[in-house]
Amino acid sequence: MQQHAVSEFPLTIPALITPRAEKLYAGRPVVSRVGTALHRSTWGEVVHRARRLAGALDQLGIRPGDRVATFAGSTHRHLEAYLAVPSMGAVLHTVNINLAAEQVAYIVDHADDAIVLCDRSLLADWRRVEPHLSRARRVVLLPDTDDTTHDGDALDYETLLAAAEPMATWPAVAEDAPAHTSYTTGTTGLPKGVVYTHRSTVLQSFCTGLADAEGLGSSETLLALVPLALSQVGLPFAAALHGTALVLPGRDLSPAGVCELVEKERPTVAVGFGAALPGLLAHWRAERPDLSSVRRMVCGGSPVARPISRAFEEEVGFPIVQVFGMTETSGHGSFSKLPADVGDDPSEETLGYYATSQGRPLPLVEMRIADDTGTEQPWDGRTMGELQVRGPWVARAYAQEGARPDKFMDGWLRTGDVAVIDALGYVRIVDRMKDLVKSDGEWISSLRVEEELLGHPAVAEAAVVAVPDARTGERPLACVVLRPEDDGSVTGEQLREFLAGRLAPTWVPDTVEPVAELPRTSIGKTDKKTLRARYGAGRA
């Protein structure tokens, strides 16, 4: 019998993603904020300049497999690097610009980056990194300011592109070759590198366009509030594949800056971090900007409390859609679209899927909850365990370090999150394992206490941490940021009384302390490590 087979075609960025942006969606807009101005371009122009950038990097000696670092904000030039570097066979390494200089130097050395593309406005920050490097790197300056002064041996990005011959034909790349890399934030030790292949990037980009995921397509306009400096999310690749118009905010992620972009560019979907939502909501309540173009806002990074989700749905006018993701899952592995099983009428049950769940595993991704021995726990919505994940874009080891047993178990990524999964497969994060409060043998969820605090009309932000206690081992302590109009009018004791009617007595924090602001990590999450250090010795 004659055998038939489909054609083997490599799942790579230069074979699938870049050509679609260049040919099928050449006229779709790409808008970026550069400094205080808006730069308007198209996907066709972005790819044309990406070919020039590839030619320039080739002339500078960059070869397939070499690492190219970026130290830059979310602009069209950074986007050009996203397509140019992997398409020419090199590896894009986006560096988190909010890390300390010593950490930046560590990851640049660890990744063995050959060259750095640096925003001119960030050059002073990069110069503080250089003394900590094991060797000097050539610097190419991306002009994001009006400053045109020459700086030592740094090269000018636009001059290089103007002189370069565009790379007319992309080289053949293996689908299992590395395409881009990102590092964890290093909040619990040295940052860890995760390398994403061409295949994993293409598969995740396809999945991002599905109706039960972000639903990106050529009729959507995406406001990417997750910085391009964090490439694990992969949004530019997905937008290029699906022809989605793209709006990039530069480095201004302030609530006022975000709302201004929405009013001017009218995006239909936004993707950002849940930690930014309280500030965005407070700004909207104060200024009432027109955000009516947004149909949904997808948020990850940390669970979103129910009162925040409800306020966006009922007041602002669009739902907050939660996802679960981390660097090791290449952005996200679940998506919380409302299940058909519960209907679509507004109710506490349907809102609960948006407000308290991080959703179902995306296609090709598997999730489970497991106990300390790795035994899978039932999907009953009650039994807690560590959330573990595996799939074609989920890390199975760290770059140069392998599969550490505290992070990888029998092919599963150990996320460090405590979760439950219900009968429909919806994941709900209960807490980070390190953030659970163990008080007299009882586990107290800091996220649940925070959610109840946010239900008080005077509370804008809340964070709960464990502090030592001589009798019970640990007790919860809460820090709250009050809304400006309520600052000074509500006491910590009044907030404790408010919680007493909503939580078990043992869950009510012994101290609720109003503070001016909460400390933040490099990606905007509440820095509970700092809070634990601050209050661990009873210095409330």
Side-chain angles (χ1 to χ4, degrees), residues 303-378:
V304 179
R306 183 188 292 260
I308 300 295
S309 284
R310 181 183 291 111
F312 273 92
E313 180 95 38
E314 298 176 355
E315 298 178 42
V316 186
F318 58 80
I320 299 299
V321 181
Q322 295 201 62
V323 300
F324 169 80
M326 53 200 302
T327 303
E328 291 89 342
T329 64
S330 187
H332 64 277
S334 70
F335 192 88
S336 189
K337 188 171 182 180
L338 193 65
D341 313 64
V342 301
D344 56 6
D345 292 330
S347 67
E348 279 299 305
E349 183 180 14
T350 57
L351 178 63
Y353 279 97
Y354 281 137
T356 65
S357 172
Q358 285 68 50
R360 280 171 165 155
L362 290 171
L364 309 182
V365 174
E366 296 179 78
M367 291 185 172
R368 71 176 187 179
I369 48 173
D371 62 16
D372 292 340
T373 67
T375 302
E376 185 170 358
Q377 301 301 296

Side-chain angles (χ1 to χ4, degrees), residues 430-432 434-438 444-454 459 461-467 475-481 499 503 506-513 518-519 526-529 531-532 535:
V430 176
D431 216 335
R432 291 288 292 168
K434 62 185 179 182
D435 291 336
L436 281 168
V437 182
K438 190 172 185 180
I444 299 173
S445 166
S446 68
L447 294 181
R448 172 69 194 286
V449 181
E450 290 165 7
E451 182 172 87
E452 294 299 338
L453 280 167
L454 288 167
V459 176
E461 298 179 71
V464 173
V465 295
V467 294
R475 289 292 300 148
L477 176 143
C479 294
V480 296
V481 177
L499 291 177
L503 296 171
T506 54
W507 282 47
V508 177
D510 296 339
T511 301
V512 178
E513 179 157 322
L518 297 175
T526 301
D527 188 348
K528 291 192 174 183
K529 180 180 178 182
L531 288 177
R532 284 191 290 267
Y535 295 105

Side-chain angles (χ1 to χ4, degrees), residues 162-177:
E165 283 294 322
M167 188 170 284
T169 303
W170 300 120
V173 180
E175 64 175 28
D176 61 351

Side-chain angles (χ1 to χ4, degrees), residues 178-327:
H180 57 115
T181 184
S182 188
Y183 278 69
T184 63
T185 54
T187 54
T188 56
L190 290 173
K192 303 293 185 292
V194 179
V195 178
Y196 316 108
T197 66
H198 284 262
R199 179 177 183 271
S200 72
T201 303
V202 169
L203 287 174
Q204 191 193 37
S205 296
F206 268 118
C207 190
T208 302
L210 297 177
D212 282 338
E214 270 88 342
L216 294 186
S218 58
S219 63
E220 299 276 9
T221 298
L222 168 66
L223 174 58
L225 299 176
V226 178
L228 295 190
L230 304 173
S231 74
Q232 73 268 27
V233 178
L235 285 174
F237 299 116
L241 179 69
H242 297 292
T244 307
L246 190 59
V247 180
L248 301 172
R251 290 170 55 202
D252 184 3
L253 293 172
S254 67
V258 169
C259 290
E260 180 185 24
L261 270 184
V262 173
E263 290 189 303
K264 287 183 177 179
E265 302 304 321
R266 313 307 292 160
T268 56
V269 58
V271 178
F273 289 127
L277 291 178
L280 185 61
L281 179 61
H283 179 80
W284 182 88
R285 283 170 166 165
E287 303 296 333
R288 300 289 166 147
D290 179 8
L291 308 184
S292 60
S293 68
V294 180
R295 300 173 191 154
R296 61 196 178 279
M297 184 169 182
V298 181
C299 287
S302 56
V304 179
R306 183 188 292 260
I308 300 295
S309 284
R310 181 183 291 111
F312 273 92
E313 180 95 38
E314 298 176 355
E315 298 178 42
V316 186
F318 58 80
I320 299 299
V321 181
Q322 295 201 62
V323 300
F324 169 80
M326 53 200 302
T327 303

Side-chain angles (χ1 to χ4, degrees), residues 126-142:
W126 176 254
R127 293 303 187 206
R128 285 189 282 273
V129 171
E130 289 179 320
H132 303 283
L133 294 170
S134 63
R135 59 182 174 85
R137 264 69 173 194
R138 177 170 283 181
V139 176
V140 177
L141 291 181
L142 284 58

Side-chain angles (χ1 to χ4, degrees), residues 86-159:
S87 292
M88 68 181 293
V91 184
L92 178 74
H93 175 203
T94 55
V95 178
N96 185 343
I97 61 178
N98 295 314
L99 294 177
E102 294 85 351
Q103 284 188 312
V104 172
Y106 170 81
I107 65 176
V108 169
D109 279 339
H110 191 270
D112 195 24
D113 295 324
I115 194 170
V116 178
L117 308 182
C118 176
D119 277 350
R120 180 175 283 277
S121 64
L122 291 170
L123 182 59
D125 294 320
W126 176 254
R127 293 303 187 206
R128 285 189 282 273
V129 171
E130 289 179 320
H132 303 283
L133 294 170
S134 63
R135 59 182 174 85
R137 264 69 173 194
R138 177 170 283 181
V139 176
V140 177
L141 291 181
L142 284 58
D144 65 330
T145 71
D146 295 331
D147 184 6
T148 59
T149 57
H150 183 66
D151 188 275
D153 58 355
L155 304 173
D156 178 72
Y157 183 88
E158 291 297 334
T159 301

Side-chain angles (χ1 to χ4, degrees), residues 27-50:
R28 295 290 287 149
V30 173
V31 178
S32 69
R33 183 161 48 202
V34 183
T36 59
L38 290 179
H39 179 276
R40 299 190 180 279
S41 181
T42 65
W43 275 115
E45 293 170 25
V46 167
V47 177
H48 174 70
R49 285 171 55 86

